[in-house]
Amino acid sequence: MAEIQIFIRKVLWKNDFLFPAVIWLVSRLLIWAAMLLVDPHLGPPPEGITPEFGWGVFDAWDSVHYRAIATSGYEFVDDGKQHNLAFFPLFPLLIWVFMKLGLPFEIAGTLINNLAFFAALYCIYFWIEENYGKKEARWTTAVVAWCPLSMFGTVIYTEGLYLLLSTAALRAFDQKQYRWTILWGAMATATRPTGLALIPGFLLAAWRQRRPFIAYVAGFATVMGVLLFSLYCAIQFGDALGFIHAQRGWRPSLGFYWQGWLDMLLQITLGTSYEEDFGIKNYLHPLFFGIVVGYGYCLWRLGKHLSFPVVCGFYSLVLFLLILADDWFIYNLLNAFMVLGGGYMLWHLRTQLTPVSVMYGLCGISLLLASGGTISLGRLAYGIVSLSVAFGVFLSRHPRQGYLSLGVSAILLARLALKFAQQLWVG
């Protein structure tokens, strides 16, 4: 047993090249086991399906649109309805290339996202190690891999690819490698709308650090990915802003969607919505909310003086309540935690992180808040790597909280994987 512990500490935990791979493999094995081995034996849920063993468990929800784009191309009519032109092109284009090599859609999409997520963990690890240190790099990599929303780095979604490209662009900017900043940044803006947050992030960081003129050029040039998509829209549909107009079917209006946020907070605290009669619908919700707020206050006032039994008791109680909680509570909680909690953590550590990390993170959060909806906000916020960096740096200084947080995250990660395989909405 002692030899195993020494092996884990010296070979796996402290080895720069093995650590991201081991973290990736262990976290993905948990997801694969939940989706492929456990889920088929659970029986059908009330509103979902019983998945079968196979690649099909990774193909649901947004994957349908990526399949349509990769096999039949884009479709769009400016009628306010949902059209797949709202989905950016790089990910389905890569799937199309892999399919031309003979792979089925499910295998192509799953391989691209998983391999990109694997590479993203390495990129994140070395970027953080260069700017902060090994401890911070390990914790940030663990946060990215074990976050419940990292499940989307395994199914046929864009999370893995976008994390890789955006992190590579940020790392290149920190290293003053502006040609690589343009390349990775342009590919990121061709992958997801939130890639547009890179542009003001680069420009603000260049101004704050008094970078040379080429840094501003690189910041502006990352827009090339979306400009090429706009050119395609102009040629194919006669509307250069068609990809923006297509968003109306998914998010009817731009600007801060206060009704959605109010509904989300009421769901978390009371189990109701603003359209229903005001009152407590589920007593687990205010109980959970009160416990978290109370513990947060104690942590703020007492910090490291909290005894270990108290900390363990809190996390055990939280885990118990999360197991009992309904799916919509988990979904809304993750949305609020990623956007509000991530934004607070980023602001709290703003003087300790690199300027481009902070600027990109704040611009990304602002873009999400102004997007005109609350659907999938947690997942989209997870793709903003700066938030994970802030959480990772924070937990590296509070490892006792960190280990327990990762334990809770692992349980939620398995739960989200089970629900996605059953084709239930998880973000």
Side-chain angles (χ1 to χ4, degrees), residues 7-8 11-32 114 117-125 134-148 150-151 153-154 163 382 388 402-403 406-407 409-410 413:
F7 175 78
I8 292 175
V11 179
L12 300 184
W13 181 247
K14 294 187 178 181
N15 188 295
D16 287 342
F17 289 97
L18 280 180
F19 182 81
V22 171
I23 287 291
W24 175 84
L25 180 60
V26 175
S27 62
R28 298 313 97 180
L29 284 174
L30 175 65
I31 297 172
W32 298 334
N114 277 271
F117 187 74
F118 177 77
L121 291 184
Y122 270 95
C123 190
I124 290 168
Y125 183 91
K134 288 181 179 287
K135 182 173 66 173
E136 289 80 0
R138 291 193 293 266
W139 275 102
T140 301
T141 306
V143 166
V144 175
W146 287 104
C147 174
S150 75
M151 187 273 300
T154 293
L163 274 172
Y382 170 73
S388 296
Y403 289 118
L406 292 181
S409 295
L413 176 60

Short mmCIF file of all heavy atoms in Angstrom, two decimals, residues 7-8 11-32 114 117-125 134-148 150-151 153-154 163 382 388 402-403 406-407 409-410 413:
data_model
loop_
_atom_site.label_atom_id
_atom_site.label_comp_id
_atom_site.label_asym_id
_atom_site.label_seq_id
_atom_site.Cartn_x
_atom_site.Cartn_y
_atom_site.Cartn_z
N PHE A 7 3.96 5.74 -5.53
CA PHE A 7 3.84 5.77 -6.99
C PHE A 7 2.86 6.86 -7.44
O PHE A 7 3.14 7.61 -8.38
CB PHE A 7 3.38 4.41 -7.48
CG PHE A 7 3.11 4.36 -8.96
CD1 PHE A 7 4.15 4.27 -9.87
CD2 PHE A 7 1.80 4.42 -9.45
CE1 PHE A 7 3.90 4.23 -11.24
CE2 PHE A 7 1.55 4.39 -10.81
CZ PHE A 7 2.60 4.29 -11.70
N ILE A 8 1.72 6.93 -6.76
CA ILE A 8 0.71 7.93 -7.14
C ILE A 8 1.25 9.34 -6.93
O ILE A 8 1.10 10.22 -7.77
CB ILE A 8 -0.58 7.71 -6.33
CG1 ILE A 8 -1.25 6.39 -6.75
CG2 ILE A 8 -1.54 8.88 -6.52
CD1 ILE A 8 -2.45 6.03 -5.92
N VAL A 11 4.90 9.64 -9.27
CA VAL A 11 4.86 9.37 -10.70
C VAL A 11 3.65 10.03 -11.37
O VAL A 11 3.78 10.70 -12.38
CB VAL A 11 4.84 7.85 -10.96
CG1 VAL A 11 4.76 7.57 -12.45
CG2 VAL A 11 6.08 7.22 -10.37
N LEU A 12 2.47 9.85 -10.77
CA LEU A 12 1.26 10.38 -11.40
C LEU A 12 0.99 11.83 -11.01
O LEU A 12 0.73 12.67 -11.87
CB LEU A 12 0.06 9.50 -11.03
CG LEU A 12 0.16 8.03 -11.45
CD1 LEU A 12 -1.12 7.31 -11.10
CD2 LEU A 12 0.45 7.91 -12.94
N TRP A 13 1.05 12.14 -9.73
CA TRP A 13 0.65 13.46 -9.26
C TRP A 13 1.65 14.54 -9.66
O TRP A 13 1.28 15.66 -9.96
CB TRP A 13 0.47 13.42 -7.74
CG TRP A 13 0.02 14.72 -7.14
CD1 TRP A 13 0.74 15.53 -6.32
CD2 TRP A 13 -1.23 15.37 -7.31
NE1 TRP A 13 0.01 16.63 -5.96
CE2 TRP A 13 -1.21 16.56 -6.55
CE3 TRP A 13 -2.38 15.07 -8.03
CZ2 TRP A 13 -2.28 17.45 -6.49
CZ3 TRP A 13 -3.45 15.94 -7.98
CH2 TRP A 13 -3.40 17.11 -7.21
N LYS A 14 2.94 14.20 -9.69
CA LYS A 14 3.95 15.23 -9.93
C LYS A 14 4.58 15.16 -11.32
O LYS A 14 5.43 15.96 -11.64
CB LYS A 14 5.04 15.12 -8.86
CG LYS A 14 4.53 15.46 -7.46
CD LYS A 14 5.66 15.52 -6.45
CE LYS A 14 5.14 15.92 -5.07
NZ LYS A 14 6.21 16.02 -4.07
N ASN A 15 4.16 14.21 -12.13
CA ASN A 15 4.72 14.08 -13.47
C ASN A 15 3.93 14.97 -14.44
O ASN A 15 2.74 14.78 -14.63
CB ASN A 15 4.67 12.62 -13.93
CG ASN A 15 5.40 12.40 -15.23
OD1 ASN A 15 5.02 12.92 -16.27
ND2 ASN A 15 6.46 11.61 -15.17
N ASP A 16 4.62 15.94 -15.05
CA ASP A 16 3.95 16.90 -15.91
C ASP A 16 3.26 16.25 -17.10
O ASP A 16 2.20 16.72 -17.53
CB ASP A 16 4.95 17.94 -16.42
CG ASP A 16 5.36 18.92 -15.34
OD1 ASP A 16 4.64 19.01 -14.33
OD2 ASP A 16 6.40 19.59 -15.49
N PHE A 17 3.85 15.20 -17.64
CA PHE A 17 3.30 14.61 -18.85
C PHE A 17 2.23 13.55 -18.56
O PHE A 17 1.35 13.32 -19.38
CB PHE A 17 4.43 13.99 -19.68
CG PHE A 17 5.32 15.03 -20.31
CD1 PHE A 17 6.51 15.40 -19.70
CD2 PHE A 17 4.96 15.65 -21.49
CE1 PHE A 17 7.33 16.36 -20.27
CE2 PHE A 17 5.77 16.62 -22.06
CZ PHE A 17 6.96 16.98 -21.45
N LEU A 18 2.30 12.92 -17.40
CA LEU A 18 1.31 11.90 -17.08
C LEU A 18 0.06 12.46 -16.42
O LEU A 18 -1.04 11.95 -16.62
CB LEU A 18 1.93 10.85 -16.15
CG LEU A 18 2.80 9.77 -16.80
CD1 LEU A 18 3.33 8.82 -15.74
CD2 LEU A 18 2.02 9.02 -17.86
N PHE A 19 0.21 13.53 -15.64
CA PHE A 19 -0.91 14.01 -14.83
C PHE A 19 -2.15 14.35 -15.66
O PHE A 19 -3.25 13.85 -15.36
CB PHE A 19 -0.49 15.21 -13.99
CG PHE A 19 -1.58 15.72 -13.09
CD1 PHE A 19 -1.85 15.09 -11.88
CD2 PHE A 19 -2.36 16.80 -13.46
CE1 PHE A 19 -2.87 15.54 -11.05
CE2 PHE A 19 -3.38 17.26 -12.64
CZ PHE A 19 -3.63 16.63 -11.43
N PRO A 20 -2.07 15.20 -16.69
CA PRO A 20 -3.29 15.49 -17.46
C PRO A 20 -3.90 14.25 -18.10
O PRO A 20 -5.13 14.13 -18.16
CB PRO A 20 -2.80 16.48 -18.53
CG PRO A 20 -1.55 17.07 -17.97
CD PRO A 20 -0.91 15.97 -17.20
N ALA A 21 -3.06 13.32 -18.56
CA ALA A 21 -3.58 12.10 -19.19
C ALA A 21 -4.33 11.24 -18.18
O ALA A 21 -5.40 10.70 -18.48
CB ALA A 21 -2.43 11.31 -19.82
N VAL A 22 -3.77 11.10 -16.97
CA VAL A 22 -4.43 10.28 -15.95
C VAL A 22 -5.75 10.93 -15.51
O VAL A 22 -6.77 10.24 -15.37
CB VAL A 22 -3.48 10.09 -14.75
CG1 VAL A 22 -4.22 9.42 -13.59
CG2 VAL A 22 -2.28 9.25 -15.15
N ILE A 23 -5.73 12.24 -15.32
CA ILE A 23 -6.95 12.95 -14.93
C ILE A 23 -8.02 12.79 -16.00
O ILE A 23 -9.20 12.54 -15.72
CB ILE A 23 -6.64 14.44 -14.69
CG1 ILE A 23 -5.87 14.62 -13.38
CG2 ILE A 23 -7.92 15.27 -14.65
CD1 ILE A 23 -6.68 14.33 -12.13
N TRP A 24 -7.61 12.92 -17.26
CA TRP A 24 -8.55 12.75 -18.37
C TRP A 24 -9.11 11.33 -18.38
O TRP A 24 -10.33 11.14 -18.47
CB TRP A 24 -7.85 13.05 -19.70
CG TRP A 24 -8.72 12.79 -20.89
CD1 TRP A 24 -9.64 13.62 -21.46
CD2 TRP A 24 -8.75 11.58 -21.69
NE1 TRP A 24 -10.23 13.03 -22.54
CE2 TRP A 24 -9.71 11.77 -22.71
CE3 TRP A 24 -8.04 10.38 -21.63
CZ2 TRP A 24 -9.98 10.79 -23.66
CZ3 TRP A 24 -8.33 9.40 -22.58
CH2 TRP A 24 -9.29 9.61 -23.57
N LEU A 25 -8.24 10.35 -18.30
CA LEU A 25 -8.66 8.96 -18.42
C LEU A 25 -9.60 8.56 -17.30
O LEU A 25 -10.66 7.95 -17.53
CB LEU A 25 -7.44 8.04 -18.44
CG LEU A 25 -7.74 6.54 -18.58
CD1 LEU A 25 -8.49 6.25 -19.86
CD2 LEU A 25 -6.45 5.73 -18.50
N VAL A 26 -9.26 8.89 -16.05
CA VAL A 26 -10.09 8.48 -14.91
C VAL A 26 -11.46 9.16 -14.97
O VAL A 26 -12.50 8.52 -14.76
CB VAL A 26 -9.38 8.80 -13.58
CG1 VAL A 26 -10.29 8.49 -12.40
CG2 VAL A 26 -8.08 8.01 -13.47
N SER A 27 -11.48 10.45 -15.27
CA SER A 27 -12.77 11.15 -15.33
C SER A 27 -13.61 10.66 -16.50
O SER A 27 -14.84 10.53 -16.38
CB SER A 27 -12.55 12.67 -15.45
OG SER A 27 -11.84 13.00 -16.64
N ARG A 28 -12.98 10.34 -17.65
CA ARG A 28 -13.75 9.83 -18.79
C ARG A 28 -14.24 8.40 -18.53
O ARG A 28 -15.34 8.04 -18.98
CB ARG A 28 -12.91 9.85 -20.06
CG ARG A 28 -12.42 11.22 -20.52
CD ARG A 28 -13.50 12.29 -20.54
NE ARG A 28 -13.45 13.08 -19.31
CZ ARG A 28 -14.28 14.09 -19.05
NH1 ARG A 28 -15.23 14.40 -19.90
NH2 ARG A 28 -14.17 14.76 -17.92
N LEU A 29 -13.44 7.60 -17.82
CA LEU A 29 -13.89 6.24 -17.49
C LEU A 29 -15.16 6.28 -16.65
O LEU A 29 -16.06 5.45 -16.81
CB LEU A 29 -12.79 5.48 -16.76
CG LEU A 29 -11.63 4.95 -17.62
CD1 LEU A 29 -10.55 4.34 -16.74
CD2 LEU A 29 -12.13 3.94 -18.64
N LEU A 30 -15.23 7.26 -15.75
CA LEU A 30 -16.45 7.40 -14.94
C LEU A 30 -17.65 7.69 -15.83
O LEU A 30 -18.73 7.11 -15.66
CB LEU A 30 -16.25 8.53 -13.92
CG LEU A 30 -17.48 8.89 -13.08
CD1 LEU A 30 -17.86 7.72 -12.17
CD2 LEU A 30 -17.22 10.14 -12.25
N ILE A 31 -17.48 8.59 -16.79
CA ILE A 31 -18.58 8.94 -17.70
C ILE A 31 -18.95 7.76 -18.57
O ILE A 31 -20.14 7.42 -18.73
CB ILE A 31 -18.17 10.14 -18.58
CG1 ILE A 31 -17.94 11.38 -17.71
CG2 ILE A 31 -19.23 10.43 -19.63
CD1 ILE A 31 -17.36 12.55 -18.46
N TRP A 32 -17.95 7.11 -19.17
CA TRP A 32 -18.23 5.98 -20.05
C TRP A 32 -18.91 4.84 -19.29
O TRP A 32 -19.83 4.21 -19.82
CB TRP A 32 -16.93 5.48 -20.69
CG TRP A 32 -16.26 6.50 -21.55
CD1 TRP A 32 -16.85 7.55 -22.19
CD2 TRP A 32 -14.86 6.58 -21.84
NE1 TRP A 32 -15.91 8.29 -22.88
CE2 TRP A 32 -14.68 7.72 -22.68
CE3 TRP A 32 -13.75 5.84 -21.49
CZ2 TRP A 32 -13.42 8.09 -23.17
CZ3 TRP A 32 -12.50 6.22 -21.96
CH2 TRP A 32 -12.35 7.32 -22.80
N ASN A 114 -13.53 14.19 -27.79
CA ASN A 114 -12.73 13.59 -26.74
C ASN A 114 -11.25 13.87 -26.91
O ASN A 114 -10.54 14.19 -25.94
CB ASN A 114 -12.98 12.08 -26.68
CG ASN A 114 -14.21 11.71 -25.90
OD1 ASN A 114 -14.15 11.52 -24.68
ND2 ASN A 114 -15.34 11.64 -26.57
N PHE A 117 -10.62 17.48 -26.11
CA PHE A 117 -10.66 17.71 -24.66
C PHE A 117 -9.38 17.21 -24.00
O PHE A 117 -8.84 17.85 -23.09
CB PHE A 117 -11.89 17.03 -24.06
CG PHE A 117 -12.11 17.33 -22.61
CD1 PHE A 117 -12.59 18.57 -22.22
CD2 PHE A 117 -11.83 16.40 -21.62
CE1 PHE A 117 -12.79 18.87 -20.88
CE2 PHE A 117 -12.02 16.68 -20.29
CZ PHE A 117 -12.51 17.93 -19.92
N PHE A 118 -8.89 16.07 -24.46
CA PHE A 118 -7.62 15.53 -23.97
C PHE A 118 -6.48 16.52 -24.21
O PHE A 118 -5.69 16.83 -23.31
CB PHE A 118 -7.34 14.20 -24.67
CG PHE A 118 -6.02 13.57 -24.32
CD1 PHE A 118 -5.85 12.91 -23.12
CD2 PHE A 118 -4.95 13.64 -25.20
CE1 PHE A 118 -4.64 12.31 -22.80
CE2 PHE A 118 -3.73 13.05 -24.89
CZ PHE A 118 -3.58 12.38 -23.68
N ALA A 119 -6.41 17.05 -25.42
CA ALA A 119 -5.37 18.03 -25.74
C ALA A 119 -5.57 19.33 -24.97
O ALA A 119 -4.61 19.99 -24.57
CB ALA A 119 -5.37 18.31 -27.25
N ALA A 120 -6.83 19.68 -24.73
CA ALA A 120 -7.12 20.91 -23.98
C ALA A 120 -6.58 20.83 -22.57
O ALA A 120 -6.06 21.82 -22.03
CB ALA A 120 -8.63 21.17 -23.96
N LEU A 121 -6.69 19.67 -21.93
CA LEU A 121 -6.16 19.53 -20.57
C LEU A 121 -4.65 19.74 -20.54
O LEU A 121 -4.12 20.35 -19.61
CB LEU A 121 -6.52 18.15 -20.02
CG LEU A 121 -8.00 17.89 -19.72
CD1 LEU A 121 -8.17 16.52 -19.08
CD2 LEU A 121 -8.59 18.96 -18.81
N TYR A 122 -3.95 19.24 -21.55
CA TYR A 122 -2.51 19.47 -21.62
C TYR A 122 -2.20 20.94 -21.84
O TYR A 122 -1.30 21.51 -21.21
CB TYR A 122 -1.89 18.64 -22.75
CG TYR A 122 -1.45 17.28 -22.29
CD1 TYR A 122 -2.27 16.17 -22.43
CD2 TYR A 122 -0.21 17.10 -21.70
CE1 TYR A 122 -1.88 14.92 -22.00
CE2 TYR A 122 0.21 15.85 -21.26
CZ TYR A 122 -0.63 14.76 -21.42
OH TYR A 122 -0.24 13.53 -20.97
N CYS A 123 -2.95 21.58 -22.73
CA CYS A 123 -2.73 23.00 -23.00
C CYS A 123 -2.99 23.83 -21.76
O CYS A 123 -2.22 24.74 -21.42
CB CYS A 123 -3.64 23.44 -24.15
SG CYS A 123 -3.28 25.08 -24.79
N ILE A 124 -4.06 23.52 -21.05
CA ILE A 124 -4.39 24.23 -19.82
C ILE A 124 -3.30 24.01 -18.77
O ILE A 124 -2.85 24.96 -18.11
CB ILE A 124 -5.76 23.77 -19.29
CG1 ILE A 124 -6.88 24.26 -20.21
CG2 ILE A 124 -6.00 24.27 -17.86
CD1 ILE A 124 -8.22 23.61 -19.94
N TYR A 125 -2.88 22.77 -18.62
CA TYR A 125 -1.87 22.45 -17.60
C TYR A 125 -0.59 23.25 -17.81
O TYR A 125 -0.08 23.90 -16.89
CB TYR A 125 -1.56 20.95 -17.64
CG TYR A 125 -0.59 20.52 -16.56
CD1 TYR A 125 -1.04 20.10 -15.32
CD2 TYR A 125 0.78 20.53 -16.79
CE1 TYR A 125 -0.16 19.71 -14.32
CE2 TYR A 125 1.67 20.15 -15.81
CZ TYR A 125 1.20 19.74 -14.58
OH TYR A 125 2.08 19.37 -13.59
N LYS A 134 3.25 24.59 -10.59
CA LYS A 134 2.77 23.23 -10.75
C LYS A 134 1.49 22.97 -9.94
O LYS A 134 0.57 22.30 -10.43
CB LYS A 134 3.85 22.24 -10.31
CG LYS A 134 5.04 22.13 -11.26
CD LYS A 134 6.03 21.11 -10.74
CE LYS A 134 7.22 20.98 -11.68
NZ LYS A 134 6.83 20.28 -12.92
N LYS A 135 1.46 23.44 -8.70
CA LYS A 135 0.30 23.17 -7.86
C LYS A 135 -0.96 23.75 -8.47
O LYS A 135 -2.01 23.09 -8.54
CB LYS A 135 0.53 23.75 -6.45
CG LYS A 135 -0.61 23.48 -5.48
CD LYS A 135 -0.24 23.94 -4.07
CE LYS A 135 -0.08 25.45 -4.01
NZ LYS A 135 0.10 25.91 -2.62
N GLU A 136 -0.88 25.00 -8.92
CA GLU A 136 -2.03 25.64 -9.54
C GLU A 136 -2.42 24.93 -10.84
O GLU A 136 -3.61 24.80 -11.15
CB GLU A 136 -1.73 27.11 -9.82
CG GLU A 136 -1.65 27.99 -8.58
CD GLU A 136 -0.31 27.90 -7.86
OE1 GLU A 136 0.56 27.13 -8.34
OE2 GLU A 136 -0.13 28.57 -6.84
N ALA A 137 -1.41 24.46 -11.59
CA ALA A 137 -1.69 23.75 -12.84
C ALA A 137 -2.44 22.45 -12.58
O ALA A 137 -3.39 22.10 -13.29
CB ALA A 137 -0.39 23.48 -13.59
N ARG A 138 -2.02 21.72 -11.54
CA ARG A 138 -2.69 20.45 -11.22
C ARG A 138 -4.13 20.68 -10.80
O ARG A 138 -5.04 19.96 -11.24
CB ARG A 138 -1.91 19.73 -10.13
CG ARG A 138 -0.55 19.20 -10.57
CD ARG A 138 0.02 18.23 -9.56
NE ARG A 138 0.36 18.89 -8.30
CZ ARG A 138 1.56 19.36 -8.00
NH1 ARG A 138 2.54 19.25 -8.89
NH2 ARG A 138 1.80 19.93 -6.85
N TRP A 139 -4.34 21.68 -9.96
CA TRP A 139 -5.70 21.92 -9.47
C TRP A 139 -6.61 22.43 -10.59
O TRP A 139 -7.78 22.03 -10.68
CB TRP A 139 -5.67 22.90 -8.31
CG TRP A 139 -5.42 22.23 -7.00
CD1 TRP A 139 -4.25 22.19 -6.30
CD2 TRP A 139 -6.35 21.44 -6.25
NE1 TRP A 139 -4.39 21.44 -5.16
CE2 TRP A 139 -5.68 20.96 -5.10
CE3 TRP A 139 -7.68 21.09 -6.43
CZ2 TRP A 139 -6.29 20.16 -4.15
CZ3 TRP A 139 -8.31 20.28 -5.49
CH2 TRP A 139 -7.61 19.83 -4.36
N THR A 140 -6.10 23.30 -11.44
CA THR A 140 -6.92 23.81 -12.53
C THR A 140 -7.29 22.70 -13.50
O THR A 140 -8.45 22.60 -13.94
CB THR A 140 -6.18 24.93 -13.28
OG1 THR A 140 -5.87 25.99 -12.37
CG2 THR A 140 -7.04 25.48 -14.41
N THR A 141 -6.33 21.84 -13.82
CA THR A 141 -6.62 20.71 -14.70
C THR A 141 -7.65 19.79 -14.09
O THR A 141 -8.57 19.30 -14.78
CB THR A 141 -5.33 19.93 -15.00
OG1 THR A 141 -4.33 20.82 -15.49
CG2 THR A 141 -5.57 18.84 -16.02
N ALA A 142 -7.55 19.55 -12.78
CA ALA A 142 -8.53 18.70 -12.10
C ALA A 142 -9.92 19.35 -12.10
O ALA A 142 -10.93 18.66 -12.29
CB ALA A 142 -8.08 18.44 -10.66
N VAL A 143 -9.97 20.66 -11.91
CA VAL A 143 -11.26 21.36 -11.93
C VAL A 143 -11.92 21.22 -13.30
O VAL A 143 -13.12 20.93 -13.41
CB VAL A 143 -11.06 22.85 -11.58
CG1 VAL A 143 -12.31 23.66 -11.94
CG2 VAL A 143 -10.76 23.01 -10.10
N VAL A 144 -11.15 21.41 -14.37
CA VAL A 144 -11.70 21.31 -15.72
C VAL A 144 -12.20 19.89 -16.00
O VAL A 144 -13.27 19.69 -16.57
CB VAL A 144 -10.65 21.73 -16.77
CG1 VAL A 144 -11.18 21.49 -18.18
CG2 VAL A 144 -10.28 23.20 -16.60
N ALA A 145 -11.43 18.89 -15.58
CA ALA A 145 -11.77 17.50 -15.89
C ALA A 145 -12.92 16.96 -15.06
O ALA A 145 -13.73 16.16 -15.54
CB ALA A 145 -10.55 16.61 -15.71
N TRP A 146 -13.02 17.40 -13.79
CA TRP A 146 -14.01 16.83 -12.89
C TRP A 146 -15.24 17.70 -12.71
O TRP A 146 -16.19 17.29 -12.02
CB TRP A 146 -13.38 16.53 -11.52
CG TRP A 146 -12.47 15.36 -11.56
CD1 TRP A 146 -11.11 15.37 -11.57
CD2 TRP A 146 -12.85 13.98 -11.63
NE1 TRP A 146 -10.62 14.11 -11.63
CE2 TRP A 146 -11.66 13.23 -11.68
CE3 TRP A 146 -14.07 13.33 -11.67
CZ2 TRP A 146 -11.68 11.84 -11.76
CZ3 TRP A 146 -14.08 11.95 -11.74
CH2 TRP A 146 -12.89 11.21 -11.78
N CYS A 147 -15.26 18.87 -13.30
CA CYS A 147 -16.48 19.67 -13.26
C CYS A 147 -17.62 18.85 -13.87
O CYS A 147 -17.44 18.17 -14.89
CB CYS A 147 -16.29 20.96 -14.07
SG CYS A 147 -17.79 21.96 -14.23
N PRO A 148 -18.80 18.85 -13.26
CA PRO A 148 -19.91 18.06 -13.82
C PRO A 148 -20.18 18.35 -15.29
O PRO A 148 -20.52 17.45 -16.06
CB PRO A 148 -21.10 18.45 -12.94
CG PRO A 148 -20.50 18.88 -11.65
CD PRO A 148 -19.18 19.51 -12.00
N SER A 150 -18.08 18.93 -17.52
CA SER A 150 -17.07 18.36 -18.42
C SER A 150 -17.61 17.14 -19.15
O SER A 150 -16.97 16.64 -20.09
CB SER A 150 -15.81 17.98 -17.63
OG SER A 150 -16.01 16.79 -16.88
N MET A 151 -18.78 16.66 -18.74
CA MET A 151 -19.44 15.60 -19.49
C MET A 151 -19.61 15.99 -20.96
O MET A 151 -19.55 15.14 -21.86
CB MET A 151 -20.80 15.30 -18.85
CG MET A 151 -21.55 14.11 -19.41
SD MET A 151 -22.59 14.51 -20.84
CE MET A 151 -23.71 15.71 -20.16
N GLY A 153 -17.53 17.43 -22.71
CA GLY A 153 -16.29 17.21 -23.41
C GLY A 153 -16.14 15.77 -23.89
O GLY A 153 -15.12 15.41 -24.48
N THR A 154 -17.18 14.95 -23.68
CA THR A 154 -17.16 13.55 -24.07
C THR A 154 -18.22 13.22 -25.11
O THR A 154 -18.02 12.35 -25.94
CB THR A 154 -17.35 12.66 -22.82
OG1 THR A 154 -16.21 12.80 -21.98
CG2 THR A 154 -17.52 11.20 -23.18
N LEU A 163 -12.58 24.56 -25.86
CA LEU A 163 -11.63 24.72 -24.77
C LEU A 163 -10.20 24.66 -25.29
O LEU A 163 -9.34 25.44 -24.87
CB LEU A 163 -11.85 23.64 -23.71
CG LEU A 163 -12.90 23.93 -22.63
CD1 LEU A 163 -13.13 22.68 -21.79
CD2 LEU A 163 -12.48 25.10 -21.76
N TYR A 382 -18.86 27.19 -18.67
CA TYR A 382 -17.79 26.20 -18.48
C TYR A 382 -16.76 26.30 -19.60
O TYR A 382 -15.57 26.09 -19.38
CB TYR A 382 -18.39 24.79 -18.44
CG TYR A 382 -17.36 23.69 -18.50
CD1 TYR A 382 -16.55 23.41 -17.41
CD2 TYR A 382 -17.19 22.95 -19.67
CE1 TYR A 382 -15.60 22.41 -17.48
CE2 TYR A 382 -16.24 21.95 -19.74
CZ TYR A 382 -15.44 21.68 -18.65
OH TYR A 382 -14.50 20.69 -18.72
N SER A 388 -12.49 28.43 -14.81
CA SER A 388 -11.85 27.24 -14.23
C SER A 388 -10.47 27.58 -13.67
O SER A 388 -10.05 27.02 -12.65
CB SER A 388 -11.73 26.13 -15.28
OG SER A 388 -13.00 25.68 -15.70
N GLY A 402 -10.84 21.74 -1.63
CA GLY A 402 -10.71 21.28 -3.00
C GLY A 402 -11.00 19.80 -3.17
O GLY A 402 -11.76 19.41 -4.06
N TYR A 403 -10.41 18.97 -2.32
CA TYR A 403 -10.63 17.54 -2.45
C TYR A 403 -12.10 17.18 -2.25
O TYR A 403 -12.66 16.35 -2.98
CB TYR A 403 -9.77 16.78 -1.44
CG TYR A 403 -8.30 16.80 -1.77
CD1 TYR A 403 -7.37 17.39 -0.90
CD2 TYR A 403 -7.82 16.24 -2.95
CE1 TYR A 403 -6.01 17.41 -1.20
CE2 TYR A 403 -6.46 16.25 -3.26
CZ TYR A 403 -5.57 16.85 -2.38
OH TYR A 403 -4.23 16.87 -2.69
N LEU A 406 -14.12 18.30 -5.31
CA LEU A 406 -13.97 17.39 -6.44
C LEU A 406 -14.75 16.11 -6.23
O LEU A 406 -15.26 15.52 -7.19
CB LEU A 406 -12.48 17.08 -6.65
CG LEU A 406 -11.60 18.23 -7.14
CD1 LEU A 406 -10.16 17.75 -7.31
CD2 LEU A 406 -12.12 18.82 -8.43
N GLY A 407 -14.87 15.66 -4.99
CA GLY A 407 -15.66 14.48 -4.71
C GLY A 407 -17.13 14.69 -5.03
O GLY A 407 -17.78 13.85 -5.66
N SER A 409 -18.26 16.96 -7.09
CA SER A 409 -18.33 17.15 -8.54
C SER A 409 -18.35 15.81 -9.27
O SER A 409 -19.05 15.66 -10.28
CB SER A 409 -17.13 17.98 -9.02
OG SER A 409 -17.19 19.28 -8.50
N ALA A 410 -17.59 14.83 -8.79
CA ALA A 410 -17.55 13.53 -9.45
C ALA A 410 -18.92 12.86 -9.41
O ALA A 410 -19.35 12.25 -10.40
CB ALA A 410 -16.50 12.64 -8.79
N LEU A 413 -21.04 14.64 -11.87
CA LEU A 413 -20.59 14.29 -13.22
C LEU A 413 -21.22 12.98 -13.67
O LEU A 413 -21.72 12.87 -14.80
CB LEU A 413 -19.07 14.20 -13.25
CG LEU A 413 -18.41 13.75 -14.56
CD1 LEU A 413 -18.74 14.71 -15.69
CD2 LEU A 413 -16.90 13.65 -14.38
#
